Amino acid sequence: METEIKMTKLASCAGCGAKVGAGTLSRLLEGFETVTDERLIVGYDRSDDASVYMIDSETALIQTTDFFPPIVDDPYLYGRIAAVNAISDIYAMGGEPRLALNILCVADAMDDKSVREILRGGYDAAREAGVIISGGHTIKGAEPIYGLSVSGFAHPDRILKNCGTKPGDILILTKPLGAGIITTAAKADLADKNTLEKVYEKMAALNRKARDIMVKYPVSACTDVTGFGLMGHCFEMAQGSGCSIHILSRKVPHYSDAAELAAMGIVPEGAYRNRNYAERGVCVTGDVSLAIQDVFYDPQTSGGLLIAVPPECSDAFLSEMKADVPDAEVIGYVSAEKEYRIYLE
Ligand code: CO
Ligand code: CO
């Protein structure tokens, strides 16, 4: 008799919430000697979504990897979300993803059928993105892990970094927040079924449409909102750009139940890590509840793109974006203040 194994029960932490905090990461990497090459346009020191290497004056290679333990019980959906999330970092750089390698760790408790389903989810996402999975590596281990290493291309002059915002830029976010909180609630059977379905659908959706529209405009900066939460990614954007960010808290799209669940204390561990990392830059000036702040710190798996758009084209940008990506909303703006703060208004 076949027993149904709950994928998330095999994991100690879920999705991008499993990410090691940004502060810890920079400590671990401190002081290593590396090869220098002026063709490396974006490297680790930039805390960007992917690294970028100039091949020639027309072509830049963009590389990234992302993998994590199960965030959902359905193995197909898990595989799909993990692949969509990994590919997203290429989109966040304004690139076109082309090649990928599977990264897979199989736990003893998993049967062949669920392993195949994880991979099928990954292959379906890759096909939809126009990505060739050309190989990979599989090991056995204590917990299931799946993801991709992805390579993509863009014109070197058209690379979108997470820094580069200019005062006056309008910030647009293309997926709702709160996926970490809702999936944490789901582990304790506390999530509303309809909300959960919506979260799954959004996590499984490629940022491809958002990217294709974005590259038609003179966008200043872009990143995808993932493990560091909206606040962590805004903090990196503000620091990297030498600007301050103002978040219009009431305008930030989030799943309706996320704030209620956060108020009940259902907040993933990663949200506290993100708060520890980014809080020194955050200044609450408006009437923003702690629960809503938790939503802003909530680590997202396969989150949306956060795009800084010059004010003169932001209306046209948003209306074109909304036609294809209805969740896209203006969530704030950039100011010239040099103390790299994030004001929650
Ligand atoms: Co990213
Ligand atoms: Co990443």
Side-chain angles (χ1 to χ4, degrees):
M1 198 180 89
E2 206 174 309
T3 42
E4 207 40 48
I5 303 145
K6 279 203 160 192
M7 295 294 292
T8 57
K9 294 274 188 289
L10 300 174
S12 53
C13 47
C16 282
K19 202 166 172 171
V20 172
T24 312
L25 213 52
S26 51
R27 264 201 319 282
L28 288 171
L29 287 159
E30 213 171 69
F32 290 143
E33 278 183 45
T34 53
V35 175
T36 50
D37 185 336
E38 60 189 17
R39 289 176 183 235
L40 186 68
I41 308 171
V42 180
Y44 174 74
D45 55 317
R46 307 293 291 275
S47 326
D48 215 320
D49 297 294
S51 60
V52 183
Y53 187 83
M54 189 154 97
I55 293 174
D56 58 38
S57 59
E58 299 284 295
T59 318
L61 170 68
I62 311 168
Q63 288 187 307
T64 183
T65 183
D66 248 312
F67 47 85
F68 47 67
I71 182 149
V72 294
D73 285 319
D74 180 78
Y76 173 80
L77 188 62
Y78 164 46
R80 191 181 159 95
I81 291 168
V84 163
N85 177 73
I87 294 167
S88 175
D89 278 327
I90 304 287
Y91 292 137
M93 303 301 289
E96 279 185 84
R98 271 291 163 266
L99 292 163
L101 301 170
N102 279 317
I103 295 162
L104 177 65
C105 179
V106 179
D108 282 340
M110 290 163 71
D111 53 15
D112 285 358
K113 192 175 145 229
S114 17
V115 178
R116 251 186 81 78
E117 281 295 283
I118 292 172
L119 289 166
R120 190 170 68 88
Y123 276 84
D124 276 1
R127 188 168 37 85
E128 205 183 303
V131 168
I132 307 160
I133 297 183
S134 56
H137 190 77
T138 306
I139 60 163
K140 285 186 167 210
E143 285 185 27
I145 292 169
Y146 180 62
L148 298 175
S149 128
V150 191
S151 299
F153 298 98
H155 192 285
D157 300 338
R158 302 285 294 156
I159 295 290
L160 291 172
K161 299 172 188 166
N162 65 354
C163 54
T165 56
K166 292 179 206 74
D169 280 350
I170 303 298
L171 291 172
I172 289 164
L173 177 66
T174 67
K175 280 186 192 178
L177 298 177
I181 292 167
I182 307 283
T183 50
T184 301
K187 277 189 157 193
D189 278 327
L190 288 169
D192 174 76
K193 213 176 149 258
N194 292 327
T195 311
L196 196 57
E197 284 301 315
K198 220 189 285 173
V199 172
Y200 288 166
E201 184 197 312
K202 308 281 178 207
M203 287 196 297
L206 289 168
N207 282 325
R208 182 181 192 165
K209 284 181 187 162
R211 178 267 174 203
D212 288 351
I213 293 165
M214 168 174 81
V215 295
K216 295 199 259 172
Y217 290 82
V219 162
S220 309
C222 176
T223 191
D224 56 345
V225 175
T226 53
F228 299 149
L230 177 67
M231 289 298 94
H233 291 283
C234 278
F235 189 52
E236 284 185 339
M237 199 177 246
Q239 275 193 318
S241 311
C243 297
S244 283
I245 285 176
H246 300 251
I247 299 292
L248 306 165
S249 302
R250 278 168 216 286
K251 301 226 163 162
V252 180
H254 58 85
Y255 300 105
S256 51
D257 313 338
E260 279 165 53
L261 289 163
M264 288 161 60
I266 298 160
V267 176
E269 202 190 308
Y272 296 106
R273 266 202 309 269
N274 290 340
R275 192 185 269 276
N276 272 337
Y277 163 66
E279 202 172 33
R280 65 201 142 112
V282 177
C283 193
V284 184
T285 58
D287 178 20
V288 187
S289 70
L290 270 176
I292 286 291
Q293 291 179 40
D294 285 336
V295 173
F296 293 175
Y297 286 108
D298 184 36
Q300 304 302 290
T301 297
S302 189
L305 298 183
L306 174 65
I307 310 164
V309 187
E312 56 275 14
C313 61
S314 63
D315 286 348
F317 183 97
L318 187 68
S319 61
E320 190 173 351
M321 191 61 91
K322 274 220 158 274
D324 267 351
V325 185
D327 289 314
E329 296 290 348
V330 168
I331 64 155
Y333 60 97
V334 178
S335 75
E337 292 141 88
K338 292 250 178 285
E339 68 273 37
Y340 323 139
R341 289 225 182 280
I342 303 150
Y343 294 96
L344 299 186
E345 297 176 357

